[in-house]
Amino acid sequence: MQEFKVAVIAGDGIGPEITDAAVKVMQAAAAKFDFRLSHASGLAAAAAVDAGKPPLPDETLKLCQDSQAILCGPFGDPRWDNAPPAERPERAKLILRKTFDLYANLRPVKPVPALIDASPLRRELVEGADILIVRELVGGLYFAEPRGYFDDAKGKFGVNTMKYHAWEVDRIGKVAFESARLRRRKVHSADKANALEVMQLWRTTMQALRDKEFTDCELKHVFVDNCCMQLVAEPKQFDVIVAGNMFGDILSDIGAQITGSLGMLPSASLGTGVPLFEPVHGSAPDITGKGKANPLAMILTASMLFTYAAKRPDIGGAIDRAVEKALEKGLRTADIARGRPGEKLVGTREMGEAVLSELK
Ligand code: IPM
Ligand code: MG
C-alpha cells in the first residue's frame, strides 16, 4: 500500500505545543493499525513571517499540494492585532482554504460524557447533544468582492460583501443533507432572510434542493440570531446546522460551549482540493509557551483526518475513544477543569501522553 502523506503546519501561539501532541497520537494510531503514514512540516502565518518569509511561503503551499491531507494548527498573533485583514497571519489560512476550494467545513459538536459538567449549560440540556455544524468556508462575507478600504465625500470607509451564488448554496446544502442522511436526517438552515437579499436566495435555494433531491430529510429554516439562542436554550433539537461562512463561524463558537471548551472542537475542511484539518480554536496567545493548552481539539482533528481523508473511521474512532478514556480517568487541562473531586489538573504534554497510552 502507498504511503499516506500529511502536511503538518503547526501555526502560531499554542500551535506548536498542541501539534506536537497530535502528531505523536497520529503516528501511534497509524502504527497500531499498520497504516503507512508519513508527514512533513511546513511553516505558515506568523511563524513564517518570523523566519523572514511570507505568511504562506511557496514551499509550504507546494508541500500541501503534494500531500493527501493537511493538519493545520491555529494561525494568529497579537503583534498584528491592529493590522488590516490582508496583512494578518490569519490570512494564510483563508488563502489555503480558498486555494484548495475547501468549501465545506464540518464542525461536530458532541460533548464527551466525562465532560458534561464542564459545560456552562446545565447537564440535562447538553447530555446527549450531537450536532454537526456545516459551515460554508470559501464564499460569503469572507471572500466576496468588493472589499477593502475606500474614501468618499464622508471620509474613509471599509467594505465587505455578503454574496452567494445559488450554486454555492447548492453545493454546501448537498454536504449538509448528505451528512444528515448518515445521522438523524434533520437539517436546520441558519440564515437572515428577514433582512438580507443574499439570505433570501440562500433560503429558497436550500428549500428547492430539499424538495428536489432530499425529500427523505427534514429541513427547517431558522434565523441565525434565533439559532444562537436556540443553541443554548435547547441544543438537543439540532442534528445538522448549515450556515454561510460568517454565521457558521459565530455558531460554532457558541456550539463549543456545549462541549465545555473551544479546546475540544475539531474540524474538517473538505472540497475539491487537498482536505485540511484544523481545530476550531485560535492561537491563544495568553497561554502560549506555558504548557497549559488543551491538545484535545487538535488530537480530535487528527482523528477527523483519518476518518475523512484516509477513509479510516476505525482509526479515527480509536483516537476518539482514547480521548474519552483519558477524560474518564479525570485528567483535565485548565480550560476544562472545574475543581470537582476526581479531577487531575494536567498540562498539554501529560494530556497528550495519557491519550497515547490509552491508544496503545
Ligand atoms: C475559525 C477562525 C478563523 C475564521 C479565523 C482565525 C480567520 O475563527 O476557523 O473559526 O474566522 O474562519
Ligand atoms: Mg472562528
Side-chain angles (χ1 to χ4, degrees), residues 15 68 92 230 299:
Q68 275 132 306
Q230 296 292 333
I299 290 173

Side-chain angles (χ1 to χ4, degrees), residues 97 107 135 142 248-250 252-253 262 280-281:
R97 292 172 179 170
R107 299 188 155 184
R135 171 188 176 193
Y142 276 60
D249 179 47
I250 296 169
S252 51
D253 270 35
L262 203 45
V280 172
H281 63 70

Side-chain angles (χ1 to χ4, degrees), residues 30-50:
K32 180 175 170 157
F33 287 84
D34 281 322
F35 179 82
R36 291 191 59 207
L37 177 127
S38 72
H39 65 91
S41 302
L43 281 179
V49 176
D50 284 337

Side-chain angles (χ1 to χ4, degrees), residues 107-113 115-116 126 128-132 183-184 255 258-260 264-266 300 320 324:
R107 299 188 155 184
V109 176
K110 188 176 177 187
V112 175
L115 279 190
I116 296 292
V126 294
D130 180 0
I131 306 168
L132 179 69
R183 301 168 49 96
R184 303 189 303 278
I258 295 168
T259 68
M264 292 301 301
L265 238 58
L300 293 168
D320 295 349
E324 282 169 26

Side-chain angles (χ1 to χ4, degrees), residues 115 117-118 329-332 336-345:
L115 279 190
D117 292 314
K329 294 207 165 138
L331 269 64
R332 300 285 186 272
I336 48 175
R338 296 293 178 267
R340 293 209 166 76
E343 285 185 3
K344 183 177 177 236
L345 187 65

Side-chain angles (χ1 to χ4, degrees), residues 344-358:
K344 183 177 177 236
L345 187 65
V346 296
T348 314
R349 186 185 300 258
E350 260 181 296
M351 184 61 101
E353 278 162 9
V355 176
L356 270 182
S357 68
E358 296 299 341

